[in-house]
Amino acid sequence: MADLRPDAPKGLRAPLPTLILDTCVVTTLPWNSTIWELFRAVRTAGLQRIAIPEMVLMELLAQRSREYDSACKKAYAAHEALWKLQFVENEAFHHFPAVYSPQDYLKRWEEIYRTTLEVLPLSREAAVEGLRREAYRLRPARANGKGAVGSRDAAIWMTVLEQAKGDPSGSVCFVSKNTDDFGPNGILYPDMAEEVKVAGLDVEYLTSLDEALNRISRREVLPHDDPDLTERLSALAAADVFTASIYNSLVGQSVAGAAVDFDDEDPFADWETHWEALTIRMLYSMDWRDEVAYSTGTTTAEPVRTLAATLSLFVGGEAQRWTQRMGTGAPEPVAFAIDVRILMGPHSVSVASVSDPRPFTSTEEATASAAAATLLSSDWGPPPPHLFEQQEEL
């Protein structure tokens, strides 16, 4: 039996099955959908490839752009109408609330697509064949009144076939809900099915993403004290990539946080939205939640278990308070909480997301106070390269 494990000897590895997704399968997924985490888990396991053709990426970004542009125009118009009901010209400034620029919005989505899915390049041959098929009304392109449509669908289909031809010993599963152009009920149109058969390719067509994912992965909610989870979390102190991603997301930016003052009944009462020149002195894991495991594999390989959890971290350090009148002041001790979503494979750790700084919850305050007291009593000391204090040390 072929061994699909990433660390298997090279001569024993079998080709990875490739799951290729069409635009209509991905476009309805919101950015916070758990499907993205499942995609990451599958990619981390290394047993299964989940990909989109480059043409699909273009369509996805174009759709996101149109949606965002339309929403912004409606919001601008509504905000201006509301402003005019309250003020007259020269009486007040018209400031629209801060939102992502269209460029930043698309950049965010492109990062999600590229970090969770493999992008299959659009070859010149696939693009030309897509245009040819539209001109000749060949599936998946088709006639549309006096004209024709489907050159992009045809380019996507050619990318699928190219992937199958590039590795004939592997299998390809194409997932699309576009039954008008590819075929109803998970059955390709006869001329496309014949095309696959004549080429001797292993291409399966599905219309349900859930069905495709259920074949290769399983999601399981974990108890908070799962032994495997706690063991992997305890090993995070040595994960340089993990801690570096947190530092990079915070250092050098204006952040929100609380000035630490133990002379006050609440040491974190003084919350400011703008701190500059942050230097992190301590990262401390206060708790975790939303624990799940993804078992990923195929019928020819043992599943790989990827664990996911959201860590609530205490972040302590020093920063300079910023005010519009005074600018930045002297460095002060600051602290805040962040939530970090992580995926832990057998030999790797990846960060799915890092939240903005937030105040401590009532259940976190005692732990945060102890961590801040430890930090203050150490007279700050040098910034640690990667530091996860243990609860018993506090």
Side-chain angles (χ1 to χ4, degrees), residues 110-132:
E110 184 169 2
E111 182 180 4
I112 291 174
Y113 294 137
R114 289 190 179 275
T115 56
T116 55
L117 301 167
E118 181 181 348
V119 178
L120 303 175
L122 174 64
S123 68
R124 181 183 184 278
E125 292 76 12
V128 171
E129 179 62 12
L131 293 172
R132 189 189 76 85

Side-chain angles (χ1 to χ4, degrees), residues 173-246:
C173 180
F174 177 53
V175 186
S176 176
K177 293 187 290 186
N178 183 1
T179 56
D180 289 341
D181 294 323
F182 293 105
N185 305 316
I187 301 174
L188 289 169
Y189 283 118
D191 44 355
M192 298 173 68
E194 183 67 15
E195 182 178 16
V196 172
K197 180 180 179 181
V198 170
L201 302 177
D202 185 1
V203 177
E204 184 180 11
Y205 166 54
L206 296 176
T207 56
S208 169
L209 178 59
D210 288 341
E211 180 183 353
L213 293 178
N214 286 338
R215 294 185 181 186
I216 63 171
S217 63
R218 181 170 58 86
R219 185 178 186 272
E220 172 192 0
V221 178
L222 296 177
H224 186 72
D225 58 351
D226 178 80
D228 192 12
L229 176 65
T230 53
E231 180 180 353
R232 295 196 199 185
L233 288 174
S234 66
L236 284 178
D240 292 333
V241 174
F242 171 69
T243 51
S245 66
I246 297 174

Side-chain angles (χ1 to χ4, degrees), residues 127-142 148-151 154-155 157-158 161 191-192 195:
V128 171
E129 179 62 12
L131 293 172
R132 189 189 76 85
R133 292 197 179 202
E134 182 178 291
Y136 283 87
R137 278 66 166 172
L138 299 176
R139 291 284 185 187
R142 54 188 168 85
V149 295
S151 60
W157 176 242
M158 295 313 301
L161 296 183
D191 44 355
M192 298 173 68
E195 182 178 16

Side-chain angles (χ1 to χ4, degrees), residues 9-41:
K10 189 172 184 180
L12 298 178
R13 295 181 194 171
L16 299 178
T18 302
L19 196 65
I20 302 179
L21 310 181
D22 195 8
T23 309
C24 52
V25 174
V26 183
T27 189
T28 56
L29 298 176
W31 67 266
N32 59 346
S33 170
T34 56
I35 294 294
W36 298 114
E37 182 168 279
L38 190 151
F39 288 161
R40 284 179 180 269

Side-chain angles (χ1 to χ4, degrees), residues 44-61:
T44 299
L47 298 183
Q48 180 90 28
R49 298 170 64 199
I50 303 183
I52 54 173
E54 188 176 7
M55 187 72 255
V56 167
L57 177 63
M58 295 180 196
E59 290 186 333
L60 289 170
L61 293 176

